[in-house]
Amino acid sequence: MLTFHPTLPIAVIVVGVLALALCAWQLATVRGRRLAWIRRTLLVLLAVAMAFRPALPGGEVPTASVQARVFVMVDTSQSVAAEDWGTEPRLTGMHEDVVEIARSFAGADISVISFDSQASLRVPLTDDGSAVIEMVRALKPEIAQQSRGTSVAVAHELLRTELERSAAEDPSSPAIVFYLGDGEHTAEDAPESFADAGGLVDRGLVLGYGTEQGGRMRVSSFDPAQQEQYVQDPAGGDAVSRIDEDRLGSIADELGITYLHRAPGLPISDALGPMAALDSAADLDQTEEARLEVAWILGIPIALLIAWEAFSLARSLRTTRGMLPKAGAR
């Protein structure tokens, strides 16, 4: 069910009411330009609706307060499309675990870093657990045509920079790192060590996804037709991606944290609960509804109506110029 943000600036309400009153008055009194004022009425209604920030329910997040800096690193290389999380892609398991991390560390400052052929800071440190969940649910495997090979440590420098920056701003909060990946390294160069970042990490987990048998990967592509196909092995047949637990264990050792293999149906809350409780300032059983905001969808018809208005205005100006007497005419 669609919900709306409960608070709205008074100025937006006042301007919206005045604009709607003007449109209603023009529709009632002006003849010959009703279509234009209907268009403007729709534009005002959509803009006001967008200001109310409509959203869909996104589950629940706890309202407890955990004093910590939490860094979630998510592998988004092509291999996370491997279908060995049961029958689902590995990325499905990562999505589920990030939701649990956000719930367990509600109130903490959480950041999201994704990595494939390059590293990206998706969410700077924020205490908005809903924003973290929203972003991670939107993550997709890297487009195959854009991949230049994946290093399991490509996010090493970005993580260290964020750890140092945040420690300078908030030295009293512990740094907790969660690394979610399958350990598959396809870059030509050997991966860098996380050891220099390890001294900045208080605790965390390296979470491994995948199986020794491995799984096939659907193609991640801009072309919908290709998305139904599987990545092909140069030697023939479907390519298979397998977890590399040795490499994941090495990353855990370098960061000074624990490695944990993940599988469907295996709860992660048992591992997260004690870790979060060390910094918890409230009851983790208290929850509030998370919001998946969809206001951006209203931007599409708003943009179309503005383009229509601009086209109509340009056409009116051309007509007006054509009616004016030319210079020198008598």
XYZ file of all heavy atoms in Angstrom, residues 220-281:
454
model
N 24.750 -10.478 -17.711
C 24.316 -9.148 -17.298
C 24.582 -8.209 -18.468
O 25.734 -8.007 -18.857
C 25.086 -8.704 -16.055
O 24.660 -7.433 -15.632
N 23.515 -7.672 -19.059
C 23.662 -6.911 -20.297
C 22.604 -5.828 -20.392
O 21.558 -5.882 -19.725
C 23.552 -7.860 -21.500
O 23.510 -7.155 -22.717
N 22.879 -4.827 -21.246
C 21.883 -3.798 -21.541
C 20.779 -4.361 -22.440
O 19.678 -3.815 -22.497
C 22.537 -2.597 -22.230
C 23.484 -1.823 -21.353
C 24.826 -1.740 -21.660
C 23.029 -1.186 -20.210
C 25.701 -1.024 -20.851
C 23.883 -0.470 -19.398
C 25.226 -0.392 -19.727
N 21.076 -5.444 -23.144
C 20.144 -6.045 -24.096
C 19.276 -7.076 -23.376
O 19.790 -8.095 -22.907
C 20.926 -6.716 -25.231
C 20.010 -7.274 -26.308
O 18.781 -7.249 -26.117
O 20.530 -7.741 -27.344
N 17.967 -6.832 -23.256
C 17.095 -7.780 -22.542
C 17.167 -9.191 -23.109
O 17.042 -10.168 -22.366
C 15.697 -7.175 -22.714
C 15.938 -5.721 -22.966
C 17.218 -5.660 -23.739
N 17.359 -9.319 -24.417
C 17.416 -10.647 -25.028
C 18.626 -11.433 -24.520
O 18.548 -12.646 -24.300
C 17.476 -10.519 -26.550
N 19.731 -10.748 -24.304
C 20.937 -11.415 -23.830
C 20.833 -11.816 -22.361
O 21.531 -12.733 -21.917
C 22.156 -10.522 -24.037
C 22.535 -10.320 -25.484
C 23.845 -9.553 -25.629
O 24.448 -9.140 -24.647
N 24.273 -9.352 -26.868
N 19.969 -11.141 -21.601
C 19.846 -11.428 -20.174
C 19.280 -12.818 -19.907
O 19.375 -13.330 -18.793
C 18.976 -10.367 -19.501
C 19.613 -8.989 -19.490
C 18.698 -7.918 -18.921
O 17.625 -8.224 -18.402
N 19.099 -6.669 -19.027
N 18.673 -13.445 -20.912
C 18.157 -14.804 -20.757
C 19.215 -15.847 -21.094
O 18.989 -17.044 -20.922
C 16.924 -14.997 -21.659
C 15.755 -14.081 -21.317
C 15.304 -14.252 -19.877
O 15.183 -15.416 -19.435
O 15.079 -13.231 -19.185
N 20.365 -15.402 -21.579
C 21.429 -16.323 -21.947
C 22.406 -16.490 -20.785
O 22.427 -15.693 -19.848
C 22.169 -15.796 -23.183
C 21.265 -15.571 -24.390
C 21.991 -14.884 -25.540
O 23.208 -14.724 -25.510
N 21.234 -14.484 -26.541
N 23.234 -17.529 -20.872
C 24.249 -17.779 -19.853
C 25.632 -17.433 -20.391
O 25.894 -17.550 -21.601
C 24.214 -19.242 -19.407
C 23.052 -19.576 -18.497
C 21.844 -20.043 -19.012
C 23.148 -19.378 -17.119
C 20.767 -20.331 -18.180
C 22.077 -19.666 -16.277
C 20.900 -20.134 -16.809
O 19.839 -20.402 -15.975
N 26.493 -16.989 -19.496
C 27.879 -16.687 -19.868
C 28.530 -17.968 -20.382
O 28.380 -19.039 -19.789
C 28.658 -16.137 -18.648
C 30.119 -15.903 -19.016
C 28.016 -14.850 -18.147
N 29.256 -17.840 -21.486
C 29.868 -19.002 -22.119
C 31.349 -19.122 -21.769
O 32.063 -18.120 -21.656
C 29.710 -18.920 -23.639
C 28.264 -18.983 -24.108
C 27.595 -20.287 -23.698
O 27.986 -21.368 -24.139
N 26.579 -20.184 -22.832
N 31.782 -20.356 -21.586
C 33.189 -20.651 -21.338
C 33.913 -20.658 -22.679
O 33.414 -21.263 -23.638
C 33.307 -22.028 -20.670
C 34.710 -22.298 -20.155
O 35.679 -21.976 -20.867
O 34.841 -22.841 -19.045
N 35.062 -19.995 -22.807
C 35.809 -20.018 -24.074
C 36.130 -21.432 -24.546
O 36.278 -21.684 -25.750
C 37.098 -19.247 -23.737
C 36.709 -18.355 -22.607
C 35.701 -19.131 -21.810
N 36.219 -22.369 -23.590
C 36.520 -23.754 -23.966
C 35.281 -24.498 -24.443
O 35.367 -25.633 -24.906
C 37.137 -24.495 -22.775
N 34.103 -23.856 -24.300
C 32.862 -24.472 -24.728
C 31.901 -24.711 -23.580
O 32.325 -25.021 -22.462
N 30.622 -24.542 -23.838
C 29.605 -24.767 -22.825
C 29.414 -23.556 -21.928
O 30.051 -22.508 -22.098
N 28.535 -23.712 -20.951
C 28.264 -22.624 -20.016
C 29.416 -22.471 -19.028
O 29.931 -23.462 -18.495
C 26.980 -22.902 -19.226
C 25.744 -22.902 -20.117
O 25.769 -22.221 -21.156
O 24.763 -23.590 -19.763
N 29.798 -21.219 -18.783
C 30.832 -20.952 -17.784
C 30.262 -21.208 -16.393
O 29.082 -20.983 -16.143
C 31.318 -19.516 -17.905
N 31.116 -21.678 -15.491
C 30.715 -21.962 -14.119
C 31.622 -21.188 -13.164
O 32.851 -21.218 -13.302
C 30.797 -23.477 -13.812
C 30.509 -23.733 -12.333
C 29.819 -24.245 -14.685
N 31.012 -20.502 -12.221
C 31.767 -19.764 -11.202
C 31.716 -20.538 -9.894
O 30.661 -21.004 -9.474
C 31.170 -18.368 -11.007
O 31.756 -17.729 -9.895
N 32.878 -20.654 -9.237
C 32.977 -21.381 -7.972
C 33.544 -20.464 -6.896
O 34.392 -19.618 -7.176
C 33.854 -22.623 -8.122
C 33.302 -23.661 -9.098
C 34.244 -24.834 -9.264
N 33.654 -25.869 -10.120
C 33.688 -25.855 -11.437
N 34.296 -24.850 -12.078
N 33.121 -26.821 -12.134
N 33.104 -20.675 -5.675
C 33.603 -19.896 -4.556
C 35.075 -20.223 -4.313
O 35.515 -21.362 -4.517
C 32.778 -20.161 -3.285
C 33.154 -19.181 -2.180
C 32.928 -21.603 -2.821
C 32.255 -19.269 -0.955
N 35.846 -19.227 -3.913
C 37.253 -19.417 -3.547
C 37.382 -19.081 -2.056
O 37.649 -17.951 -1.681
C 38.154 -18.524 -4.392
C 39.634 -18.816 -4.201
O 39.992 -19.378 -3.139
O 40.429 -18.495 -5.101
N 37.153 -20.077 -1.215
C 37.156 -19.841 0.227
C 38.553 -19.563 0.766
O 38.697 -18.862 1.778
C 36.522 -21.023 0.954
C 35.021 -21.144 0.675
C 34.324 -22.036 1.665
O 34.277 -23.260 1.423
O 33.827 -21.507 2.693
N 39.570 -20.094 0.129
C 40.939 -19.810 0.578
C 41.241 -18.321 0.453
O 41.819 -17.704 1.358
C 41.955 -20.617 -0.229
C 41.911 -22.103 0.096
O 41.410 -22.447 1.185
O 42.362 -22.911 -0.739
N 40.837 -17.736 -0.662
C 41.094 -16.310 -0.868
C 40.270 -15.464 0.100
O 40.753 -14.470 0.641
C 40.796 -15.908 -2.310
C 41.451 -14.598 -2.730
C 41.158 -14.266 -4.174
N 41.748 -15.184 -5.121
C 43.009 -15.117 -5.530
N 43.809 -14.188 -5.066
N 43.453 -15.977 -6.423
N 39.030 -15.863 0.318
C 38.183 -15.138 1.269
C 38.746 -15.241 2.677
O 38.722 -14.265 3.442
C 36.751 -15.684 1.221
C 35.959 -15.398 -0.058
C 34.661 -16.195 -0.063
C 35.676 -13.913 -0.213
N 39.270 -16.418 3.028
C 39.892 -16.579 4.338
C 41.113 -15.697 4.496
O 41.358 -15.147 5.584
N 41.871 -15.528 3.411
C 43.051 -14.653 3.462
C 42.642 -13.202 3.679
O 43.291 -12.466 4.430
C 43.852 -14.779 2.156
O 44.362 -16.086 2.002
N 41.557 -12.773 3.030
C 41.067 -11.403 3.216
C 40.650 -11.200 4.669
O 40.944 -10.165 5.284
C 39.888 -11.116 2.263
C 40.379 -11.118 0.814
C 39.217 -9.788 2.597
C 39.266 -11.035 -0.212
N 39.975 -12.203 5.235
C 39.567 -12.114 6.641
C 40.790 -11.992 7.553
O 40.799 -11.182 8.496
C 38.734 -13.339 7.022
N 41.825 -12.770 7.276
C 43.045 -12.705 8.090
C 43.697 -11.327 7.987
O 44.175 -10.775 8.988
C 44.035 -13.784 7.649
C 43.550 -15.192 7.997
O 42.674 -15.312 8.873
O 44.037 -16.155 7.378
N 43.740 -10.766 6.778
C 44.363 -9.457 6.580
C 43.601 -8.356 7.316
O 44.202 -7.423 7.848
C 44.424 -9.144 5.083
C 45.393 -10.036 4.308
C 45.179 -9.993 2.812
O 44.309 -9.216 2.343
O 45.861 -10.751 2.096
N 42.280 -8.474 7.350
C 41.459 -7.472 8.027
C 41.362 -7.736 9.531
O 40.869 -6.893 10.282
C 40.054 -7.441 7.423
C 39.918 -6.811 6.037
C 38.541 -7.086 5.455
C 40.177 -5.309 6.093
N 41.802 -8.918 9.957
C 41.732 -9.260 11.373
C 40.324 -9.578 11.835
O 39.973 -9.328 12.996
N 39.504 -10.129 10.919
C 38.123 -10.453 11.266
C 37.853 -11.915 10.920
O 38.759 -12.656 10.526
C 37.119 -9.517 10.551
C 37.312 -9.551 9.028
C 37.277 -8.091 11.061
C 36.358 -8.640 8.264
N 36.617 -12.365 11.042
C 36.257 -13.784 10.902
C 35.637 -14.062 9.541
O 34.856 -13.255 9.023
C 35.260 -14.179 12.009
O 35.846 -13.905 13.278
C 34.900 -15.657 11.925
N 35.986 -15.232 8.990
C 35.343 -15.669 7.740
C 34.154 -16.558 8.064
O 34.218 -17.423 8.945
C 36.312 -16.443 6.853
C 35.608 -17.114 5.688
C 35.024 -16.348 4.685
C 35.484 -18.505 5.627
C 34.348 -16.943 3.628
C 34.810 -19.110 4.576
C 34.245 -18.321 3.579
O 33.553 -18.906 2.539
N 33.037 -16.358 7.328
C 31.833 -17.137 7.540
C 31.219 -17.481 6.192
O 30.904 -16.586 5.403
C 30.826 -16.344 8.387
C 29.489 -17.034 8.715
C 29.727 -18.262 9.595
C 28.551 -16.045 9.406
N 31.083 -18.785 5.922
C 30.449 -19.195 4.671
C 28.938 -19.090 4.817
O 28.374 -19.469 5.838
C 30.823 -20.634 4.308
C 30.204 -21.085 3.017
N 29.236 -22.065 2.949
C 30.402 -20.657 1.738
C 28.873 -22.230 1.691
N 29.564 -21.396 0.939
N 28.275 -18.561 3.794
C 26.834 -18.356 3.831
C 26.127 -19.355 2.920
O 26.671 -19.768 1.898
C 26.487 -16.924 3.384
C 27.135 -15.857 4.245
C 26.559 -15.839 5.651
N 25.135 -15.557 5.619
C 24.208 -16.331 6.175
N 24.534 -17.448 6.799
N 22.931 -15.988 6.109
N 24.927 -19.720 3.303
C 24.105 -20.639 2.519
C 22.646 -20.339 2.811
O 22.306 -19.835 3.887
C 24.435 -22.094 2.871
N 21.736 -20.642 1.866
C 20.309 -20.383 2.094
C 19.812 -21.107 3.335
O 20.163 -22.259 3.598
C 19.645 -20.942 0.824
C 20.717 -20.946 -0.197
C 21.996 -21.218 0.531
N 18.984 -20.422 4.111
C 18.407 -21.024 5.299
C 19.309 -21.009 6.514
O 18.888 -21.399 7.609
N 20.534 -20.543 6.339
C 21.476 -20.473 7.459
C 21.399 -19.073 8.052
O 21.837 -18.109 7.429
C 22.891 -20.774 6.982
C 23.984 -20.894 8.048
C 23.710 -22.090 8.958
C 25.363 -21.034 7.398
N 20.826 -18.902 9.258
C 20.644 -17.543 9.796
C 21.977 -16.873 10.098
O 22.923 -17.513 10.551
C 19.838 -17.791 11.078
C 20.143 -19.200 11.465
C 20.342 -19.942 10.186
N 22.011 -15.581 9.826
C 23.209 -14.804 10.124
C 23.031 -14.000 11.414
O 23.995 -13.455 11.962
C 23.549 -13.860 8.949
C 24.971 -13.309 9.097
C 22.511 -12.734 8.836
C 25.429 -12.475 7.933
N 21.804 -13.946 11.914
C 21.528 -13.144 13.105
C 22.325 -13.613 14.312
O 22.678 -12.813 15.183
C 20.022 -13.175 13.415
O 19.563 -14.513 13.531
N 22.622 -14.932 14.380
C 23.391 -15.447 15.511
C 24.790 -14.840 15.560
O 25.366 -14.667 16.635
C 23.503 -16.971 15.427
C 22.166 -17.660 15.632
O 21.244 -17.002 16.144
O 22.040 -18.837 15.260
N 25.345 -14.542 14.391
C 26.674 -13.938 14.341
C 26.614 -12.431 14.528
O 27.513 -11.834 15.127
C 27.353 -14.272 13.007
N 25.545 -11.797 14.040
C 25.445 -10.342 14.098
C 25.027 -9.841 15.474
O 25.494 -8.795 15.930
C 24.447 -9.842 13.058
C 24.780 -10.090 11.594
C 23.638 -9.615 10.706
C 26.075 -9.393 11.203
N 24.130 -10.589 16.130
C 23.579 -10.131 17.399
C 24.621 -9.787 18.449
O 24.664 -8.653 18.951
N 25.511 -10.725 18.795
C 26.529 -10.413 19.804
C 27.463 -9.281 19.385
O 27.898 -8.485 20.203
C 27.292 -11.738 19.935
C 26.345 -12.779 19.453
C 25.551 -12.131 18.377
N 27.747 -9.205 18.081
C 28.640 -8.161 17.583
C 28.015 -6.783 17.749
O 28.663 -5.823 18.177
C 28.951 -8.425 16.108
C 30.065 -7.592 15.532
S 30.326 -7.973 13.780
C 30.724 -9.715 13.862
N 26.706 -6.670 17.429
C 26.011 -5.386 17.550
C 25.770 -5.027 19.003
O 25.767 -3.857 19.375
C 24.691 -5.436 16.786
N 25.551 -6.062 19.848
C 25.230 -5.806 21.254
C 26.370 -5.113 21.982
O 26.144 -4.412 22.976
C 24.895 -7.125 21.952
N 27.599 -5.271 21.498
C 28.744 -4.622 22.138
C 28.627 -3.106 22.105
O 29.188 -2.402 22.941
C 30.044 -5.055 21.451
C 30.431 -6.531 21.614
C 31.635 -6.852 20.736
C 30.732 -6.846 23.072
N 27.892 -2.581 21.106
C 27.779 -1.131 20.942
C 26.332 -0.651 21.007
O 26.043 0.497 20.703
C 28.370 -0.702 19.588
C 29.785 -1.215 19.412
O 30.637 -0.835 20.219
O 30.016 -2.013 18.503
N 25.424 -1.547 21.404
C 24.006 -1.198 21.385
C 23.642 -0.316 22.570
O 24.071 -0.546 23.690
C 23.142 -2.464 21.402
O 21.781 -2.115 21.402
N 22.806 0.685 22.272
C 22.336 1.605 23.318
C 20.847 1.485 23.539
O 20.243 2.297 24.202
C 22.689 3.044 22.950
